[in-house]
Amino acid sequence: GYNAFNGKTYMTGVNLPSGIVELGHDCFNGCKRLTALTLPSTVETFGRSALSCPSLEVIWVPASRQDLVKSALKSSYMDVDRIVILEPGEPVVMQWITEDDGHGGLILKGIKPKSFGVADLVVPAQIGGKNVTALGNDAFERASRITSLTLPDTVTSIGSWCFYGCYCMTNLVLGAGIE
């Protein structure tokens, strides 16, 4: 219903049972720690901003409802590219988010999902045959599970706010490319 979970700041995951047909307006508004959501195949409609939850990173939903969920995320002003949408039971696998640097290399823009990431992360020197040359602004922002991060020698610059909110990070190993 309308505002069903509004303000439930303690929730980190929600598994909605079969039979739920609609998620009402602002259903998850204010759920600041909600990172994972499982939706049943029975969901048919989403109210205004039903999935407006900036911390949301992973949604498990049957393939038959994934386009509907993507549409609901867009209408909730959520960045669909930052959310991993999986079929029920499918494991979460970390993904690199990159963009071309304009010089034949890549800027690492981030990882998804951030809260499901590994504790000890090593950034590869290459992704898809291209050198990783920079960490973009906010690349690891709020990647709360990373305790140690190692950068390759190919990385020569680190963007603003790159590690903001990485409260568990205790070890950062810079490659030779950072002066």
Side-chain angles (χ1 to χ4, degrees), residues 85-158:
I85 299 175
L86 303 168
E87 292 209 31
E90 194 175 348
V92 175
V93 177
M94 190 189 71
Q95 301 171 24
W96 301 105
I97 302 168
T98 62
E99 72 177 28
D100 287 331
D101 69 0
H103 304 288
L106 294 175
I107 299 170
L108 182 59
K109 300 292 287 181
I111 57 172
K112 70 176 189 178
K114 290 182 179 184
S115 68
F116 289 81
V118 295
D120 297 318
L121 186 62
V122 177
V123 174
Q126 290 190 337
I127 298 175
K130 293 184 176 184
N131 283 347
V132 176
T133 59
L135 301 184
N137 295 339
D138 311 314
F140 293 99
E141 178 184 14
R142 294 187 176 93
S144 58
R145 298 205 186 229
I146 297 175
T147 57
S148 177
L149 181 66
T150 302
L151 302 180
D153 295 343
T154 57
V155 172
T156 59
S157 68
I158 297 174

Side-chain angles (χ1 to χ4, degrees), residues 12-172:
T12 58
V14 173
N15 186 351
L16 296 176
S18 184
I20 301 287
V21 178
E22 178 182 1
L23 295 181
H25 297 312
D26 298 317
C27 188
F28 295 104
N29 187 27
C31 296
K32 296 179 182 180
R33 292 189 181 109
L34 181 64
T35 58
L37 177 62
T38 302
L39 299 173
S41 61
T42 54
V43 172
E44 296 175 358
T45 58
F46 292 87
R48 179 185 38 81
S49 299
L51 296 178
S52 182
C53 182
S55 59
L56 192 58
E57 296 184 330
V58 178
I59 299 175
W60 283 275
V61 62
S64 63
R65 295 290 185 248
Q66 289 185 3
D67 286 341
L68 179 67
V69 167
K70 289 176 185 176
S71 178
L73 287 166
K74 288 178 184 174
S75 69
S76 295
Y77 304 102
M78 296 292 292
D79 184 356
V80 177
D81 294 333
R82 293 247 176 220
I83 297 174
V84 177
I85 299 175
L86 303 168
E87 292 209 31
E90 194 175 348
V92 175
V93 177
M94 190 189 71
Q95 301 171 24
W96 301 105
I97 302 168
T98 62
E99 72 177 28
D100 287 331
D101 69 0
H103 304 288
L106 294 175
I107 299 170
L108 182 59
K109 300 292 287 181
I111 57 172
K112 70 176 189 178
K114 290 182 179 184
S115 68
F116 289 81
V118 295
D120 297 318
L121 186 62
V122 177
V123 174
Q126 290 190 337
I127 298 175
K130 293 184 176 184
N131 283 347
V132 176
T133 59
L135 301 184
N137 295 339
D138 311 314
F140 293 99
E141 178 184 14
R142 294 187 176 93
S144 58
R145 298 205 186 229
I146 297 175
T147 57
S148 177
L149 181 66
T150 302
L151 302 180
D153 295 343
T154 57
V155 172
T156 59
S157 68
I158 297 174
S160 300
W161 301 92
C162 189
F163 306 112
Y164 177 78
C166 294
Y167 302 115
C168 293
M169 189 182 299
T170 58
N171 189 40
L172 176 60

